[in-house]
Amino acid sequence: MTNKILKGLVATAVLAALAGCNSSDDDKAPTTCAEAGDACTTFTVLHTNDNHGRFFENKYGEYGMAARKTLIDQIRAEVESNGGETLLLSGGDINTGVPESDLQDARPDFVGMNLIGYDAMAVGNHEFDNPLSVVDMQRDLAEFPMLAANIYDKETGERYFDAYKVFDVNGVRIAVVGLTTEDTAKIANPEFIGGLEFTDPKEELKKVIKQIKDANEADLIFATTHMGHYADGVNGNNAPGDVALARAMAEGELAAVIGGHSQNPVCMEGNVYDPEFTPGGECKPDVQNGTFIMQAHEWGKYVGQANFEYFNGELHLASYKLIPVNLKEKNEAGDRVHIGEPITPDATVLEVMQQYQDKGQEELLEVIGSTDDKLEGDRGVVRNQQTNLGRLLAEAQRTKVAADFAVMNSGGVRDSIQPGEITYKDVLTVQPFGNSITLSTLTGAEVTDYLNVVATVDVGETGSGAYPQLVGIKMDVDCEAKTVAISDINGKGYAADATYTFTVPSYNAAGGDGYPVLTPVMTGYVDAEVLYTYIKNTGDIKAADYAPVAGDIQFLNSKSPLACKL
């Protein structure tokens, strides 16, 4: 037992004794850290999430693990000088998003996390974009635990990862429980997760909390999660996230949730997101059922800093902020300037990351074509409507195998392509998963049944990766009835007894995103290679050629004319 905790217990006992002798207001339990004195313990939780391969700064010098290391070391030194200690957590999704990382199975990202000194991470759904052999390699490489209480090995019945770890942070025992979204079962690559079971995080957390309490292992229980934050628990087509998790626990059992997955800065005004939040501005985390809920956007753009005070058996949030990591904005002259003070990247981390960056870039700089306008793949757009890039990907896939129409899931579109030259790196950034193109042949009636499921997905308020980008087909989508009425496929009209061919990524053909399982022809063509070849053969891409055609796909009985939003 540390001197600080011992002093705290003595101080509490003294206060209790005094309260027994005198019941005046002056002898009540302390309500502030200053009142509690030595009975108050301070500590800081730092957090990031959804790294998605961004181990290196972007072309504007923003974020990157070297600058993150400098910032975190500065915070640690400041906290320590004030008598506190720090805990550094990640909300998961270290994998997938930048070719230099993807080509090296995220080794640079895990090496960077080791150098920074992470204490634990939640397992994200994109950790399963690779075979389990790669996941195991990353677990061996990480000098910190990858936590997930709700992922089980079907063969052994045992958890595939550790459920939690207890940390002594300035004398306070903090149990950190890892949890992963149930949606992983349908949005991770089915080829890689067939041997795993993803159970309800809420029920698993209740089990773990009981285990920790029965063993008297911790003073506080935190969760590091990859489940998503959905304001007021409105999760749309997504599995329940952090708000639902907090509300499902008995009040006071779960002190805080350090999250990821939805990739938003959780800065709140009551139960809604703060519309005024800007980088460097004030940020108030969500509080649900007595549980603090935090998330630091994505890519290491911010480091979240939560300064806590623990006294009288209760946890208090003294202050909270999202600190920009060399983020920049344009001034009136159009120049990019730092938001806040510039952060000098740590020299050692920069040297190590530079080696990985150089290795990854060797094959990525080939120019394969150009585009006259932005090809739209931004997450907030492509998951809510048809876009020129989504349709370009679908067109490339159906052209490759001469199919009648194509279905491309929006979750497989990972970035936009900006006007100008297009490189191989751009292709791999947009399509990093390495899915194969499949070819299916169905009757018109079977196509209708298939699209009754696929085309009517409710995108909710935050959009859905299951939302399909479609080419070669005209139809009305009744969002309320969950049915489609097809009028034409590839200029052939439509008949229930006619046969039609279509492409869909292998991920979705195997049931990913909740799509119906197909038994297609596996063409052997990989999505990024198909896009690479299509752009190289086309040369100059005219963005307008891939813009959605008005009237081709109409969404009826929906809050939006562009997607099902019920």
Side-chain angles (χ1 to χ4, degrees), residues 49-58 62-68 93-102 106 108-109 112-113 116 263 298-301 325 353 357 414-416 425 428-430 432:
N49 57 275
D50 293 273
N51 184 72
H52 285 300
R54 267 75 177 185
F55 68 89
F56 207 73
E57 63 186 31
N58 69 4
E62 297 179 301
Y63 45 89
M65 286 185 154
R68 194 190 310 175
D93 267 9
I94 309 306
N95 287 269
T96 306
V98 174
E100 290 90 342
S101 172
D102 297 341
D109 307 86
M113 291 176 75
I116 292 170
Q263 297 180 221
E298 63 186 1
W299 303 357
K301 292 177 179 178
V325 183
M353 295 297 101
Q357 181 75 355
R414 303 307 292 186
D415 208 345
S416 296
K425 177 179 179 178
L428 291 176
T429 301
V430 169

Side-chain angles (χ1 to χ4, degrees), residues 62 278-279 326-332 334-340:
E62 297 179 301
T278 56
N326 280 343
L327 295 187
K328 297 179 180 179
E329 60 185 354
K330 287 186 177 180
N331 61 17
E332 293 182 357
D335 299 321
R336 291 184 181 272
V337 295
H338 279 90
I339 299 170

Side-chain angles (χ1 to χ4, degrees), residues 173-189:
R173 300 173 302 163
I174 302 175
V176 178
V177 185
L179 295 164
T180 306
T181 176
E182 291 174 89
D183 274 344
T184 307
K186 66 179 182 180
I187 62 178
N189 194 321

Side-chain angles (χ1 to χ4, degrees), residues 45-53 65 68 72 87-95 110 113 118-128 144-148 150-151 176-182 184 187 222-230 241-242 245 256-264 266 293-304 320 322 379:
V45 174
L46 305 177
H47 64 100
T48 61
N49 57 275
D50 293 273
N51 184 72
H52 285 300
M65 286 185 154
R68 194 190 310 175
I72 287 173
L87 184 68
L88 176 58
L89 303 175
S90 166
D93 267 9
I94 309 306
N95 287 269
F110 281 92
M113 291 176 75
Y118 276 77
D119 292 300
M121 65 168 275
V123 175
N125 57 285
H126 282 290
E127 269 58 271
F128 301 101
F144 49 86
M146 299 171 66
L147 302 175
N150 66 312
I151 302 178
V176 178
V177 185
L179 295 164
T180 306
T181 176
E182 291 174 89
T184 307
I187 62 178
F222 280 41
T224 182
T225 70
H226 194 82
M227 296 170 55
H229 180 274
Y230 309 108
D242 295 333
L245 181 74
V257 175
I258 308 301
H261 186 52
S262 51
Q263 297 180 221
N264 49 348
V266 176
I293 304 176
M294 305 166 181
Q295 189 177 156
H297 202 187
E298 63 186 1
W299 303 357
K301 292 177 179 178
Y302 301 90
V303 170
Y320 181 73
L322 293 180
R379 177 190 179 101

Side-chain angles (χ1 to χ4, degrees), residues 457-478:
V457 59
D458 180 4
V459 301
E461 295 302 316
T462 57
S464 173
Y467 177 76
Q469 300 287 325
L470 300 155
V471 294
I473 191 166
K474 298 179 181 181
M475 63 182 173
D476 290 343
V477 181
D478 189 325

